[in-house]
Amino acid sequence: MSKGTRASSRNHWPLVVLVVCAAAGYVFVASGLSAGGADLRPAGGDVASLIEDRSQRVSDKRERARELRLEIDSLTIVDDAKTSTKQTAKARKQRIDKLEALTGMDSAAGPGVRVTLTDAPRSVEIPGLDPNVLVVHQQDLQAFVNTLWAGGAEAISLQGQRLISTTGIKCVGNTVVLEGVPYSPPYVIEAVGEPSGLNYSLGTSAEVKTYADYAAKYDLGLKIETLDQVAAGAYAGTVGLNFARAIG
């Protein structure tokens, strides 16, 4: 190699190093933005650990939202007391309390029923049987929840999360998602209400009977308990609604 060629190669090295460093910096910045300040590959590295981590994050934010809502409510009451008569403020507070109880924005407790649904054990193997028969689906959860509402439930929770009229139960893979939080079985439904009415509704529901038949045949989990005390925490999710309006 001639001296001129070697000199030309040396002259190109700074440019090559600059390009490589710039590319590496771009990758690091992109990774940081994608991670949002968190580890791109959480400890454990498996789906279960990821679900648990995300569920905890959402639960923490939901609890913070509940605290902020209570703080807003207390400030609103103070403001009402300053700008209105005490009697008006008291009447408004009583109306708010009544609506919170009806809409699930307040906690509830009392006698009730607990229903636990579980997938069939992995040991259950029946040639030719659709494996979907051996797992709990969203329609099963919806059937039990609707039956409990029909039986006079005052408040219902699923996996400890309060259900209200706008709550959607959605299956994603082998998990159920509520308000963005994924849950795995066993699924625990708790209802506050008169046990006799709740149990009667469960015993006369065609959908519940269908699930019970499958449970007996394929070893799906089904457990119904009558409890002296059931607690349902206040709803802590968002309450924004989207709706469509007909044109014309």
Side-chain angles (χ1 to χ4, degrees):
M1 181 181 293
S2 66
K3 291 183 178 180
T5 302
R6 289 197 298 269
S8 177
S9 298
R10 285 196 297 269
N11 290 335
H12 282 84
W13 270 110
L15 179 60
V16 173
V17 172
L18 178 61
V19 171
V20 171
C21 290
Y26 174 80
V27 171
F28 292 148
V29 171
S31 298
L33 292 175
S34 298
D39 190 356
L40 283 173
R41 191 178 296 279
D46 58 292
V47 175
S49 298
L50 181 62
I51 290 176
E52 183 177 355
D53 176 66
R54 294 297 184 268
S55 298
Q56 186 59 51
R57 290 188 188 185
V58 174
S59 296
D60 292 342
K61 291 184 182 298
R62 181 179 290 109
E63 179 60 26
R64 178 56 179 160
R66 188 187 68 82
E67 293 173 356
L68 290 174
R69 184 181 295 119
L70 292 175
E71 184 177 347
I72 291 172
D73 290 343
S74 64
L75 292 174
T76 302
I77 293 169
V78 171
D79 185 61
D80 284 345
K82 290 180 179 179
T83 59
S84 307
T85 64
K86 290 185 177 180
Q87 185 175 3
T88 301
K90 182 178 180 181
R92 185 174 299 176
K93 177 64 169 56
Q94 290 175 340
R95 185 168 182 269
I96 291 174
D97 290 343
K98 183 178 180 180
L99 289 174
E100 285 184 340
L102 293 174
T103 57
M105 299 300 169
D106 197 8
S107 59
V113 168
R114 175 188 294 148
V115 177
T116 304
L117 307 179
T118 314
D119 293 347
R122 293 181 179 274
S123 58
V124 177
E125 294 184 5
I126 301 176
L129 180 68
D130 184 350
N132 287 319
V133 172
L134 303 177
V135 298
V136 179
H137 295 283
Q138 70 182 52
Q139 66 262 26
D140 300 320
L141 296 170
Q142 290 168 342
F144 278 90
V145 168
N146 290 336
T147 298
L148 290 168
W149 283 129
E154 300 171 13
I156 298 179
S157 67
L158 172 58
Q159 303 299 79
Q161 188 175 147
R162 183 71 174 269
L163 305 183
I164 61 174
S165 59
T166 58
T167 301
I169 301 174
K170 182 180 180 181
C171 269
V172 178
N174 62 342
T175 65
V176 166
V177 177
L178 290 175
E179 301 293 342
V181 183
Y183 297 99
S184 299
Y187 300 112
V188 179
I189 306 169
E190 293 185 328
V192 178
E194 178 57 44
S196 60
L198 298 176
N199 282 312
Y200 177 80
S201 187
L202 290 170
T204 56
S205 167
E207 292 80 5
V208 170
K209 183 180 185 304
T210 297
Y211 180 89
D213 290 342
Y214 274 83
K217 188 173 182 179
Y218 301 115
D219 207 16
L220 285 164
L222 173 58
K223 184 178 181 181
I224 300 176
E225 305 170 85
T226 298
L227 305 177
D228 294 331
Q229 189 72 7
V230 175
Y235 177 74
T238 59
V239 293
L241 297 177
N242 295 319
F243 63 94
R245 178 178 298 172
I247 299 177

